Amino acid sequence: VVAGWALLGKPGVRPIPWPRLLSVLAFILVTPLLATMVFAKQVFDWGGALDVQQGDITGSVVASCGGPGQSLGTTAGQPPARIHVTYAWAWTKGSPVPSGLDVVVIGWTGDDAQGRPLYFLGPSVPTEPGIYDGRRAFPSIEMGNAVAAQSRGSWQWGVQLDERGISPGRIELDLDRAREPAPGDQPLRIMASYVHLGLWHADVPLTCEW
């Protein structure tokens, strides 16, 4: 519009400051648009000012580690035959147009007295809509794999933000004991991690001791 006005407009012949005022107004209008182009990435992109940050998520992990009064296929003071793990998360803020794939990683580390893994992944547990068992993809796959490598055993779930948005979620899994308990079995350390778009991850630890 400004270029067309300068090219096709009639020259100002009256001794009034209209052309100068129009130029000033055009500058005032165009400057915010140019600034938006310059700072759009910092504001609207993944990890930008309008995206959720690491401090915006809260998480919790609950596991049926066993103990007195719990019938889990073992006696008190021994690793149970199956441990049910629940990881839940919630957000303190949202994002206007969420997109991409987040990843949840649940890892576990614990050996028996001979140094062999004490637990392995049990049968699949149904997930909420928009959460996919075993899905790993850009942009969270690299960070998700790095987080998973910190535990001896692990599994991942993909959280499709295009479908779920920034909303609370819940993931469950079962860990089955690999062999009969014996003196010297180590505690089981569980780590649940939420990976957001490969930018950051928030971790929640839990230890099962017998």
Side-chain angles (χ1 to χ4, degrees):
V1 172
V2 175
W5 167 71
L7 179 65
L8 303 175
K10 296 181 180 179
V13 294
R14 292 175 295 178
I16 57 176
W18 283 112
R20 179 174 297 179
L21 289 176
L22 289 176
S23 299
V24 172
L25 289 175
F27 177 79
I28 293 175
L29 292 174
V30 169
T31 299
L33 298 177
L34 294 176
T36 300
M37 295 175 62
V38 172
F39 296 103
K41 185 177 181 66
Q42 291 86 339
V43 175
F44 300 103
D45 198 12
W46 290 343
L50 296 182
D51 194 11
V52 291
Q53 307 299 323
Q54 188 176 22
D56 299 324
I57 188 172
T58 57
S60 63
V61 178
V62 178
S64 58
C65 297
Q70 291 185 313
S71 178
L72 295 170
T74 186
T75 58
Q78 292 183 341
R82 171 170 290 180
I83 295 179
H84 188 76
V85 181
T86 301
Y87 169 59
W89 68 91
W91 301 92
T92 57
K93 61 171 287 189
S95 180
V97 188
S99 64
L101 183 78
D102 286 353
V103 166
V104 170
V105 182
I106 298 182
W108 57 94
T109 301
D111 296 337
D112 64 8
Q114 285 73 43
R116 300 168 299 186
L118 188 59
Y119 282 90
F120 61 90
L121 183 65
S124 177
V125 178
T127 59
E128 298 178 351
I131 299 178
Y132 297 94
D133 191 356
R135 177 173 292 186
R136 299 177 299 167
F138 177 84
S140 298
I141 183 171
E142 185 173 344
M143 182 175 288
N145 290 340
V147 171
Q150 299 175 12
S151 300
R152 183 154 188 181
S154 65
W155 194 250
Q156 301 185 33
W157 294 259
V159 181
Q160 198 68 50
L161 298 182
D162 314 70
E163 301 177 27
R164 292 182 55 86
I166 303 298
S167 60
R170 177 188 181 97
I171 287 176
E172 302 179 51
L173 83 158
D174 288 323
L175 299 176
D176 289 341
R177 194 178 60 209
R179 51 191 54 86
E180 290 301 315
D185 289 342
Q186 299 179 7
L188 183 70
R189 294 175 176 84
I190 301 171
M191 179 69 73
S193 303
Y194 190 100
V195 178
H196 179 59
L197 300 173
L199 300 171
W200 52 260
H201 60 90
D203 308 324
V204 183
L206 177 71
T207 299
C208 291
E209 296 184 287
W210 302 280

